[in-house]
Amino acid sequence: MKVLVIGSGAREHALCRSLSLDPAVDALYCAPGNAGIAEVAELRPVDALDGAAVAGLAAELGAGLVVIGPEAPLVAGVADAVRAAGIPVFGPSREAAQLEGSKAFAKDVMAAAGVPTARSHVCTTPEEVDEALDAFGAPYVVKDDGLAAGKGVVVTDDLEAARAHALACDRVVIEEYLDGPEVSLFAITDGATVVPLRPAQDFKRALDGDQGPNTGGMGAYSPLPWADPKLVDEVMATVLQPTVDELRRRGTPFSGLLYAGLAITSRGVRVIEFNARFGDPETQVVLARLKTPLAGVLLNAANGTLDAEPPLSWRDDAAVTVVIASHNYPGTPRTGDPIEGLDEVAAEDGPDAYVLHAGTRREGGAVVSAGGRVLSVTATGADLAEAREKAYRAVARIRLEGSQHRTDIAAKAAAGS
């Protein structure tokens, strides 16, 4: 099988790494990719938001499967263009991707499907914003209705900061605050059958102790030793299957990766948000634990034959990923700094620890930073403590001037396990 992956981040590097290890994949391409992905896939240039260009590239390569990584191409309808060209594609249609593209649409689907979530108001005027903030009180949860690369959500006790964020958005969802730990649960679906993956937890705040601004994610781990063993079954029954069924009922079936961001509250599981693609950095740890070859599962989802897929097989190992970010991230990041130590990690820490590239590019013979989140250092071990130790040992070998990373990824869970 020839596979084309669309995207250029650490999520796409994790997908390409898994696909490159699949014996069914005899040619792997990534467009546009990054410096690390180039080691496991052939890179091709493409405008990821141009459906015709992506479909044309897939046809030119003879791809038997296209995997769309990021949310923006999905919301732009790139999967529709590839499907229209008769090429199997893993990723939802433009209409189904509104589950991530519009918070208001997602709330409407959840209400119709009876999915438990936070009470909310959709606001478009300053008066509506003030009424909603007053109704829910602090802590205030304010979400830009559209895509914002993981940075459109503000959770604050500061009324003026909440109001300022709300007024900066054309349309905003203001909702009640959900207490309790957060969990990410991915599910692969063909629009009818739903196959859950293993849960993970990510770390959104920039600084240790969950301080600092929200980011796209500074690290993740799996499994969750503190979670109820029945959690996946419960979320399947109350969230994932009802949502997929409701979208099919509406005539907009969701095929691809359905990501449920959950809060385990004192009143039970509640959906914080849906995403329409693999999450970053959770994908890095979830795929590190998956034994089943990936390409066949994604192809069955694309072809509507997921019910023929045997149960997924998982490693008992734990996985931890630590994100190394550029100076000033999540503000405007400094780029162009050389990255050293990558060869040392490969030589000293493999195969249990490895580096997945996010914001990198090759400049001459050097790899340099090219984005906010630069690398995801990922490791597996017999338990979280061992995986964490291996990940941070590898992180210590990386040299990137001005870079930052959290030192507490999975620390509490490892201590508890």
Side-chain angles (χ1 to χ4, degrees):
M1 192 196 313
K2 293 181 179 178
V3 182
L4 169 62
V5 176
I6 301 300
S8 60
R11 161 188 46 224
E12 287 76 35
H13 194 174
L15 286 163
C16 285
R17 179 181 182 273
S18 290
L19 290 164
S20 73
L21 298 172
D22 186 335
V25 176
D26 50 22
L28 180 61
Y29 306 92
C30 187
N34 62 40
I37 295 174
E39 296 175 12
V40 294
E42 186 178 318
L43 302 191
R44 293 297 179 97
V46 79
D47 177 353
L49 298 177
D50 184 336
V54 172
L57 176 60
E60 176 195 326
L61 297 172
L65 175 65
V66 175
V67 180
I68 300 176
E71 59 273 24
L74 294 168
V75 172
V78 171
D80 300 283
V82 177
R83 271 194 199 93
I87 301 168
V89 58
F90 183 81
S93 66
R94 180 204 304 263
E95 287 192 54
Q98 284 303 303
L99 205 58
E100 175 169 4
S102 168
K103 305 289 190 300
F105 175 81
K107 288 290 187 183
D108 185 59
V109 170
M110 283 189 271
V115 170
T117 186
R119 292 177 299 126
S120 64
H121 292 300
V122 180
C123 306
T124 55
T125 68
E127 293 76 21
E128 289 173 345
V129 165
D130 289 339
E131 284 179 22
L133 292 172
D134 183 56
F136 288 127
Y140 303 101
V141 181
V142 184
K143 299 181 176 182
D144 190 336
D145 182 52
L147 292 181
K151 299 173 201 166
V153 178
V154 165
V155 180
T156 180
D157 287 318
D158 184 334
L159 176 60
E160 287 311 309
R163 190 170 189 274
H165 181 66
L167 296 179
C169 306
D170 290 334
R171 181 167 151 169
V172 69
V173 174
I174 296 175
E175 62 185 41
E176 67 175 328
Y177 175 76
L178 297 175
D179 63 326
E182 294 185 15
V183 174
S184 300
L185 184 61
F186 302 164
I188 292 171
T189 179
D190 60 4
T193 300
V194 182
V195 176
L197 306 185
R198 291 291 164 90
Q201 186 175 63
D202 77 331
F203 294 76
K204 287 281 193 296
R205 299 284 185 172
L207 306 175
D208 284 4
D210 291 328
Q211 301 297 306
N214 259 354
T215 71
M218 295 299 291
Y221 69 93
S222 178
L224 313 181
W226 48 267
D228 187 329
K230 297 175 185 161
L231 175 66
V232 173
D233 290 341
E234 180 186 346
V235 175
M236 269 290 290
T238 63
V239 175
L240 296 170
Q241 192 71 57
T243 300
V244 169
D245 291 346
E246 171 62 18
L247 286 165
R248 187 174 70 255
R249 187 191 68 76
R250 291 175 177 224
T252 55
F254 187 105
S255 166
L257 194 289
L258 178 57
Y259 164 143
L262 309 163
I264 313 302
T265 77
S266 53
R267 294 172 294 143
V269 175
R270 297 288 185 273
V271 175
I272 300 169
E273 64 176 358
F274 282 124
N275 291 326
R277 38 71 195 180
F278 280 101
D280 185 342
E282 300 98 320
T283 301
Q284 289 86 302
V285 292
V286 173
L287 292 186
R289 302 184 61 217
L290 179 65
K291 277 170 74 173
T292 299
L294 183 62
V297 185
L298 303 187
L299 184 62
N300 275 331
N303 285 336
T305 53
L306 199 55
D307 59 343
E309 180 69 35
L312 298 181
S313 178
W314 296 91
R315 296 184 177 87
D316 292 331
D317 284 1
V320 171
T321 194
V322 179
V323 170
I324 297 177
S326 293
H327 174 74
N328 199 45
Y329 179 77
T332 303
R334 192 173 78 202
T335 60
D337 290 316
I339 303 166
E340 298 176 334
L342 297 171
D343 291 342
E344 292 172 38
V345 174
E348 302 291 335
D349 300 303
D352 292 345
Y354 48 89
V355 180
L356 298 168
H357 292 229
T360 69
R361 70 172 185 271
R362 204 162 265 290
E363 224 172 64
V367 175
V368 302
S369 60
R373 292 187 295 171
V374 181
L375 305 168
S376 284
V377 180
T378 305
T380 56
D383 56 23
L384 285 173
E386 184 179 305
R388 192 172 179 277
E389 179 190 346
K390 289 177 179 176
Y392 278 106
R393 188 188 310 148
V395 167
R397 300 187 200 279
I398 305 291
R399 297 177 295 283
L400 171 61
E401 188 179 342
S403 68
Q404 53 178 314
H405 65 271
R406 284 184 57 161
T407 65
D408 62 347
I409 302 300
K412 285 183 184 173
S417 65

